[in-house]
Amino acid sequence: MTFEEKLAQFAELAVKVGANVQKGQTLLINTTTDTVEFTRMVVKKAYEAGAARVTVNFSDGVIDRELFDNAPVEEFEKFPRWIAEQRDELIERKGALLWIDAADPDLLTGVPVNKLSTHQKAAGKALENYREAVMNDKIAWSIIAIPSKAWAKKVFPNLPEDEQVEALWDAIFKTVRIGEGSAVENWSAHLERLHSRADILNEKRYAKLIYKAPGTELEVELPAKHIWQTGSSKTPDNTEFVANMPTEEVFTLPAKYGVNGFVSNTKPLVFQGNIIDDFTLTFKDGVIVKAEAGVGHDLLQEMISADEGSKYIGEIALVPHESPISSSNILYYNTLFDENASNHIAVGAAYPTCYEGGSELSEEELDAHGINTSITHEDFMVGSAEMDIDGVLPDGTIEAIFRKGNWAY
Ligand code: ZN
Ligand code: ZN
């Protein structure tokens, strides 16, 4: 398969499997100037699939950096209203949303933490309606990523400069199952496998998971009505979409107040254009009582102080250590990839779809059911080849779920 054929398959995957654009639908694409040529291909495919209108927002990393370097901190309190309105209109029109990421993992390194946290809080407030829509699968949305020079350099620093982008393309194509046969067909088989894994866990009805690994001893209670989900979701009118490509996870929500012990990260976390690494979070009855990081300590404190819910977790996800992404042994410095190579946990909001009837509940009702709500949702990686996870069944029986980083059954 030539490079051009692979590109065409990727554009088709984004449109037909990721956002799953329907006839007459509008599509909004958020991306950066690193992706212009590829985005043009995606737009063409979207119209071929019947899209009525495709709108593209291009941002530019260098210009974004200028903003953070030059604007006074008060400016970040004023999140642009048009961005929220554009997304609200998309939700009203039942449009689809596609993110094409290519971000430099170090884009905002050195920007004062108070600017980043002010921006995060203002965005969180302004985009409340949007967040509620995507967390509840009210619209089809999807995130993919393609290489930029800066990102490829970060991932492959030891390769000659003219080979870095190509190497990252190769790696990404593999993770999204492009290379042999039809990628769209490969994805339907892959999603089938993930569904059957979620089915098994849903039948088990575990009351608690117990994580053990170097730097980690964590107990996570699950609500009786928890649901294990996969990366494929359905909108209210039954359109299937895949929010993350790649996706290797099955995930559910914890009981907000039932998390105890400590957990250490196993891969660096890129948060707001900065790296946080070598960190350990300690929990008591769900709340983070201690957070220490070797790298990005101050930013970690901001990450868990965005609001009350950012001090609790909202998602636990299981990904075998021997997943295709993980076996490649590449550190992507991009959560979309790294979280799909590793068991992960998210601080912040839970997906209400992970709870029976959860999508019908208001924020107050979610809270009353012990389901975390927050303006943030940040996944971080905790899995490794040394991680064991036990499941406690409702009758108290303990059985192995993960041994040495992989499924025990
Ligand atoms: Zn996840
Ligand atoms: Zn997540």
Side-chain angles (χ1 to χ4, degrees):
M1 208 179 281
T2 65
F3 179 72
E4 275 65 32
E5 286 166 337
K6 288 180 181 174
L7 268 189
Q9 284 214 352
F10 199 15
E12 180 159 308
L13 265 188
V15 167
K16 292 204 170 148
V17 177
N20 195 2
V21 177
Q22 302 292 298
K23 272 206 164 46
Q25 203 179 18
T26 57
L27 173 67
L28 175 64
I29 301 176
N30 285 328
T31 186
T32 69
T33 48
D34 307 292
T35 79
V36 176
E37 274 178 53
F38 178 71
T39 296
R40 286 183 186 139
M41 292 178 70
V42 173
V43 169
K44 192 164 191 285
K45 293 272 183 200
Y47 281 121
E48 281 169 16
R53 179 192 293 267
V54 183
T55 305
V56 182
N57 295 329
F58 282 108
S59 62
D60 179 80
V62 176
I63 294 173
D64 286 345
R65 175 80 207 208
E66 291 284 354
L67 173 73
F68 277 94
D69 281 343
N70 293 293
V73 65
E74 309 83 64
E75 181 55 32
F76 296 96
E77 289 165 10
K78 305 174 188 111
F79 188 80
R81 201 183 303 147
W82 72 267
I83 296 177
E85 282 172 1
Q86 186 188 42
R87 291 193 205 167
D88 288 349
E89 188 182 345
L90 185 82
I91 294 160
E92 250 172 62
R93 291 192 63 181
K94 298 189 165 69
L97 178 62
L98 178 67
W99 298 84
I100 305 174
D101 183 22
D104 173 1
D106 292 315
L107 181 66
L108 300 179
T109 300
V111 169
V113 167
N114 65 342
K115 285 188 182 178
L116 298 173
S117 63
T118 304
H119 168 73
Q120 188 203 3
K121 282 176 197 163
K125 265 190 210 121
L127 298 174
E128 202 176 324
N129 185 48
Y130 157 75
R131 196 172 58 249
E132 204 258 339
V134 299
M135 297 295 287
N136 287 288
D137 299 340
K138 286 188 180 161
I139 57 165
W141 58 285
S142 188
I143 308 176
I144 62 167
I146 71 166
S148 60
K149 272 190 188 165
W151 180 25
K153 187 175 182 177
K154 182 79 180 175
V155 180
F156 297 108
N158 299 323
L159 285 183
E161 211 158 301
D162 58 340
E163 290 173 23
Q164 291 165 342
V165 167
E166 197 189 323
L168 188 52
W169 268 119
D170 278 347
I172 290 175
F173 284 142
K174 280 189 195 115
T175 68
V176 293
R177 298 179 148 75
I178 290 172
E180 269 173 65
S182 146
V184 172
E185 279 167 28
N186 295 346
W187 269 83
S188 69
H190 172 53
L191 293 173
E192 203 52 51
R193 279 192 296 274
L194 289 176
H195 283 311
S196 52
R197 179 58 72 181
D199 289 347
I200 295 170
L201 290 166
N202 281 326
E203 264 168 44
K204 293 280 190 186
R205 308 311 314 154
Y206 289 118
K208 193 195 272 189
L209 303 191
I210 302 169
Y211 292 70
K212 279 198 194 94
T216 295
E217 273 177 40
L218 189 71
E219 298 201 4
V220 179
E221 289 171 28
L222 303 182
K225 292 185 177 177
H226 72 268
I227 301 171
W228 288 92
Q229 298 280 8
T230 68
S232 99
S233 318
K234 278 185 178 158
T235 64
D237 44 22
N238 240 5
T239 306
E240 191 172 10
F241 65 95
V242 178
N244 288 189
M245 299 183 101
T247 182
E248 301 287 335
E249 64 181 308
V250 290
F251 63 97
T252 190
L253 49 72
K256 177 173 179 177
Y257 303 104
V259 181
N260 284 286
F262 55 90
V263 62
S264 297
N265 77 306
T266 51
K267 289 174 191 283
L269 167 63
V270 175
F271 176 67
Q272 303 210 325
N274 282 265
I275 289 167
I276 306 177
D277 203 2
D278 299 326
F279 65 89
T280 301
L281 302 178
T282 306
F283 295 85
K284 174 96 178 69
D285 298 329
V287 71
I288 296 169
V289 290
K290 198 163 116 190
E292 285 181 314
V295 176
H297 182 77
D298 292 347
L299 201 58
L300 177 67
Q301 309 310 313
E302 289 297 334
M303 189 177 98
I304 61 167
S305 310
D307 61 6
E308 176 64 17
S310 63
K311 288 187 176 58
Y312 292 82
I313 64 172
E315 178 195 338
I316 54 163
L318 301 178
V319 181
H321 189 67
E322 278 166 15
S323 79
I325 304 176
S326 167
S327 307
S328 73
N329 253 328
I330 297 168
L331 187 57
Y332 286 88
Y333 295 96
N334 182 314
T335 300
L336 176 63
F337 296 87
D338 293 330
E339 73 171 347
N340 280 303
S342 174
N343 287 323
H344 59 267
I345 292 176
V347 293
Y351 287 97
T353 50
C354 289
Y355 192 82
E356 263 175 63
S359 296
E360 314 299 319
L361 302 178
S362 67
E363 288 230 333
E364 292 71 29
E365 289 168 330
L366 286 170
D367 191 63
H369 284 79
I371 296 165
N372 196 24
T373 59
S374 171
I375 61 168
T376 59
H377 177 100
E378 283 300 329
D379 296 286
F380 60 95
M381 286 60 76
V382 302
S384 69
E386 293 161 296
M387 177 162 271
D388 289 345
I389 303 174
D390 286 338
V392 182
L393 290 164
D395 69 1
T397 314
I398 296 177
E399 61 179 30
I401 303 178
F402 263 61
R403 282 295 174 266
K404 295 199 182 306
N406 290 305
W407 291 106
Y409 54 74

